[in-house]
Amino acid sequence: PDERRWWKEAVVYQIYPRSFNDSDGNGVGDIPGIIEKVEYLDDLGVDCVWLNPVYESPGVDNGYDISDYRAILDEFGTMADWEALRDALHERDIRLIMDLVVNHTSDEHEWFVKSQSAKDSEYRDYYWWREGRDPDKVAASPNRTTLDPDDYDTPDGVNEVPPNDWESFFGGPAWTYDERTGEWYLHLFDERMPDVNWETKALREEMFEMMEWWLDRGIDGFRMDVINLISKPDGLPDSDDPTAIVRGADKFVNGPRIHEYLSEIYDRVLAGTDSMTVGEMADLTVKQAKDFVGEDGDGMSMVFTFDHMRLDMTDAGRWSYHEWSPRELKESMSHWLEGLADDGWNSLFLNNHDEPRMVSRFGDDGEYRTESAKLLATLLHTLRGTPYIYQGEELGMTNYPFDSLDEVRDVDTIKNVRAAQRSGRLADEDVMDLVRYRTRDNARTPMQWDDSPNADFTDPDTTPWMPVNPNKDEINAADARDDPNSIWHYYRDLISLRKERDVLVYGDYDLRLSDHERLWVYTRTLETDEGRSDTLLVVLNFGGDETVFEPPADLVGTDASLLISNYDADIESVEQTTLRPWEARVYDLA
Ligand code: TEU
């Protein structure tokens, strides 16, 4: 049912604090820097901010390795700064959701330090510790990397292989041998990010208390990091599926107690609050998503799914490339829009801090950068779901021209590329093309505020932690706000349209001309209280070619006006027409 919720009507703006705005000139973005830009967010019209992690962390994975859940990383500022940001946002009716990272902690978290210290530590079962295995006794499994103990980072004389064959998302085995107690510990990401053990009740209680602590500080919800990884199967068995996105994913994604843990989180912390949750869930089916979202699910407001983020990959995983087509994007996203149409809700995004810039990946960051950025924005803001704007997307910021791997900071990129080169899966001459195309650092270069040195992200004579994109002279917020035809103003218009027209939020999504290779055509229809139906027709021409649009027979000749478009066109009715490169039109049907 279409019960009204603030998070269905909201446009969410994602801030990666390290790269957003640096107030003290040390080259790293910070919370006071975000406060300086709250008016910018208010002018854009966004309703909610998703703040990537700002907690105490050694920074192995830019804050996703948390060493203290209740402290602010001093590079980002103080808890007082955070409270000032919360208040500055709330004063302007902008809500704030925080990143919840409870699948793992940093190895510097006090729980892990204690857990690691002794086998009989009371914190031992806060994490996953297991004996290694004798390579001679391990059945050769079809897809194990190696059974040679020398391929693992164990001291001389330790003739063991890890407890199972799972691999890390960052490349390499998901287990590391610890000499202190002669056991291995599990980490689905970096070895400095040990997975916590949700089987342990005391650990679950700690996580519930931490979540309540943040809700008590007035946040409006959580984005839940890799939340469908927190339940691991009994016995931690080897993988059975060599095609999984990373080895073992067939075992540790959507594990046996995932619904129990998620509904416990909802019941213990979230029920009865007006908070919003969005669960990051790779490798999900619509059926599974329905069990996670909504009151009759585990209470999640919505999920981030990644089918549409994998169209340009082969089965070899993220460090591969595969040609994709607009039709595949249309089919992939429509599958979710139709699947969660009745009981559930969708998130709408085409980039974030883990993905390349969307105009470079799904649009054209050359000749038609402005037109294609506006088309993609039209898509995200006229589909049924909650749109997410990743910082800089509203400027049409592009990928960065990395020259060498030395310019890249991202642990995910560096470790995966090295592993792919070692295994021979990635030839040296192909490395930089793939890194430039795929690296998460494309999304982590500093926000481009104006055309001054360092784009006013930090002081002119400071070296920012990541280089500023050289195209800041053409692409920056100051110029964009002065140009009524900019991508920024187009986003601002789309955001205000969603506030004016309920049909854009609650209207049914009906895909039309579904088998067209390049056109994505759909209607949004809402029965109004007066019994009238409010209908919009969205027509998107993906690609740089002109395309003839032959309207569906039932719509031809309908009186219509143009609600918004990235080109000029005087429209009085829905007729056959030739659409220009990347032309997007939203018809307001009479
Ligand atoms: O990302 C989850 C995740 O699966 C990513 O590693 C993803 O596969 C890859 O980055 C490209 O999509 C979350 C956070 O968003 C990411 O920044 C963290 O590195 C990761 O979890 C570990 O916390």
Side-chain angles (χ1 to χ4, degrees):
D2 281 348
E3 69 275 14
R4 305 182 78 86
R5 286 279 192 281
W6 67 264
W7 39 263
K8 291 184 176 178
E9 300 170 8
V11 172
V12 182
Y13 190 92
Q14 180 192 351
I15 293 179
Y16 195 71
R18 203 168 189 81
S19 309
F20 192 65
N21 187 38
D22 169 23
S23 71
D24 59 8
N26 69 347
V28 173
D30 49 48
I31 291 173
I34 301 174
I35 294 173
E36 288 174 12
K37 300 298 179 182
V38 168
E39 185 177 357
Y40 168 84
L41 299 173
D42 198 14
D43 288 349
L44 184 58
V46 299
D47 309 287
C48 178
V49 163
W50 157 25
L51 184 58
N52 283 107
V54 289
Y55 317 102
E56 194 62 54
S57 160
V60 167
D61 185 16
N62 289 350
Y64 280 93
D65 50 315
I66 296 170
S67 53
D68 185 340
Y69 283 105
R70 292 177 172 79
I72 301 296
L73 179 65
D74 54 11
E75 253 187 334
F76 287 151
T78 64
M79 188 56 83
D81 291 327
W82 180 86
E83 287 161 355
L85 170 61
R86 172 202 57 198
D87 296 344
L89 290 169
H90 283 172
E91 276 157 26
R92 293 168 181 269
D93 285 336
I94 300 173
R95 287 180 162 96
L96 172 62
I97 67 171
M98 297 286 276
D99 219 313
L100 182 76
V101 187
V102 293
N103 175 69
H104 45 270
T105 68
S106 162
D107 62 354
E108 295 185 14
H109 195 291
E110 63 168 345
W111 298 340
F112 188 74
V113 173
K114 290 174 180 169
S115 178
Q116 183 179 42
S117 64
K119 283 188 184 176
D120 60 359
S121 159
E122 64 172 307
Y123 287 84
R124 192 70 172 176
D125 286 343
Y126 271 39
Y127 296 87
W128 293 94
W129 294 96
R130 290 291 185 279
E131 299 277 325
R133 288 192 293 181
D134 174 345
D136 302 335
K137 295 201 176 66
V138 178
S141 91
N143 54 22
R144 181 192 318 288
T145 323
T146 166
L147 276 173
D148 179 347
D150 292 345
D151 287 339
Y152 298 100
D153 190 10
T154 49
D156 295 345
V158 174
N159 185 31
E160 296 177 1
V161 291
N164 67 24
D165 65 358
W166 297 357
E167 253 187 353
S168 154
F169 280 94
F170 291 170
W175 296 87
T176 290
Y177 182 81
D178 184 51
E179 285 190 67
R180 284 178 192 72
T181 55
E183 289 190 332
W184 301 68
Y185 66 89
L186 176 67
H187 52 82
L188 296 183
F189 293 93
D190 191 84
E191 67 269 12
R192 299 203 51 204
M193 301 160 69
D195 279 51
V196 294
N197 183 341
W198 273 75
E199 301 287 322
T200 302
K201 183 167 176 41
L203 180 276
R204 298 201 298 271
E205 291 299 325
E206 300 256 20
M207 293 304 194
F208 301 148
E209 280 168 37
M210 176 271 288
M211 291 180 70
E212 281 166 348
W213 191 85
W214 278 104
L215 282 174
D216 290 346
R217 304 190 94 60
I219 67 172
D220 301 289
F222 295 101
R223 176 266 187 183
M224 298 186 175
D225 187 62
V226 291
I227 195 66
N228 62 329
L229 304 185
I230 62 175
S231 168
K232 274 67 172 183
D234 296 340
L236 307 178
D238 277 344
S239 163
D240 294 327
D241 173 6
T243 69
I245 188 83
V246 288
R247 188 178 304 115
D250 54 311
K251 297 296 179 189
F252 55 70
V253 175
N254 301 325
R257 299 178 68 182
I258 184 63
H259 293 292
E260 178 192 330
Y261 297 153
L262 283 182
S263 46
E264 198 175 359
I265 288 174
Y266 183 73
D267 296 343
R268 289 287 304 272
V269 181
L270 300 164
T273 72
D274 190 25
S275 54
M276 156 206 174
T277 50
V278 50
E280 183 199 31
M281 296 193 173
D283 290 326
L284 205 56
T285 64
V286 168
K287 162 87 185 64
Q288 289 168 322
K290 284 184 177 179
D291 296 340
F292 288 127
V293 301
E295 268 66 28
D296 46 5
D298 299 329
M300 194 78 71
S301 309
M302 66 191 92
V303 293
F304 286 139
T305 56
F306 291 83
D307 296 1
H308 64 308
M309 290 282 126
R310 299 235 169 109
L311 302 174
D312 56 4
M313 299 175 193
T314 67
D315 274 353
R318 295 176 46 247
W319 291 96
S320 65
Y321 181 74
H322 179 269
E323 277 303 314
W324 64 280
S325 73
R327 178 177 175 160
E328 287 172 321
L329 180 65
K330 167 168 68 175
E331 288 170 349
S332 170
M333 292 181 77
S334 297
H335 172 69
W336 284 94
L337 290 157
E338 290 156 358
L340 292 180
D342 300 330
D343 43 3
W345 192 253
N346 278 289
S347 63
L348 304 167
F349 72 98
L350 286 172
N351 56 188
N352 58 34
H353 64 295
D354 289 335
E355 304 292 344
R357 288 279 177 183
M358 68 190 218
V359 73
S360 297
R361 185 180 189 186
F362 296 106
D364 167 0
D365 60 9
E367 182 183 3
Y368 292 107
R369 185 179 64 84
T370 298
E371 292 81 359
S372 65
K374 289 180 179 178
L375 177 141
L376 296 171
T378 308
L379 173 70
L380 291 176
H381 291 258
T382 62
L383 288 175
R384 179 185 160 95
T386 299
Y388 287 75
I389 299 173
Y390 179 64
Q391 67 182 45
E393 168 189 330
E394 76 276 17
L395 305 178
M397 277 177 66
T398 68
N399 282 353
Y400 182 90
F402 291 104
D403 264 336
S404 85
L405 209 47
D406 302 340
E407 287 184 300
V408 169
R409 307 292 299 272
D410 175 28
V411 60
D412 171 49
T413 303
I414 293 165
K415 293 185 75 171
N416 270 304
V417 168
R418 293 260 161 76
Q421 284 179 291
R422 257 197 321 271
S423 69
R425 247 184 337 101
L426 187 56
D428 290 358
E429 64 271 13
D430 299 335
V431 166
M432 281 320 296
D433 281 346
L434 191 55
V435 167
R436 271 188 288 271
Y437 178 84
R438 179 80 68 202
T439 181
R440 305 192 299 182
D441 275 348
N442 279 310
R444 301 173 181 192
T445 62
M447 185 71 178
Q448 294 160 204
W449 295 107
D450 67 21
D451 62 3
S452 70
N454 287 329
D456 197 31
F457 162 72
T458 185
D459 296 355
D461 48 8
T462 297
T463 303
W465 79 279
M466 281 290 292
V468 173
N469 197 309
N471 62 23
K472 49 100 179 162
D473 294 333
E474 300 82 42
I475 301 174
N476 63 72
D479 293 348
R481 297 182 70 178
D482 289 344
D483 170 7
N485 295 319
S486 66
I487 299 162
W488 189 89
H489 277 287
Y490 194 84
Y491 266 85
R492 189 166 181 264
D493 294 346
L494 285 168
I495 294 167
S496 62
L497 276 176
R498 278 182 80 88
K499 291 180 174 47
E500 290 162 30
R501 306 292 294 270
D502 262 2
V503 63
L504 279 170
V505 177
Y506 294 103
D508 291 343
Y509 166 80
D510 290 299
L511 182 61
R512 310 303 299 268
L513 308 183
S514 56
D515 57 2
H516 199 292
E517 271 310 313
R518 277 206 308 269
L519 292 185
W520 191 342
V521 178
Y522 50 94
T523 56
R524 301 291 313 277
T525 306
L526 186 68
E527 299 305 322
T528 61
D529 303 344
E530 303 80 52
R532 214 168 55 80
S533 77
D534 193 3
T535 301
L536 302 178
L537 168 66
V538 183
V539 182
L540 308 173
N541 176 28
F542 271 77
D545 299 324
E546 292 196 343
T547 307
V548 173
F549 166 52
E550 292 181 26
D554 59 310
L555 296 178
V556 171
T558 307
D559 289 346
S561 61
L562 195 59
L563 188 65
I564 189 168
S565 173
N566 54 359
Y567 282 87
D568 293 330
D570 50 0
I571 304 286
E572 281 162 15
S573 61
V574 178
E575 307 298 347
Q576 175 168 318
T577 184
T578 299
L579 295 169
R580 289 156 285 191
W582 295 100
E583 183 161 1
R585 289 182 176 183
V586 182
Y587 293 78
D588 196 351
L589 304 192

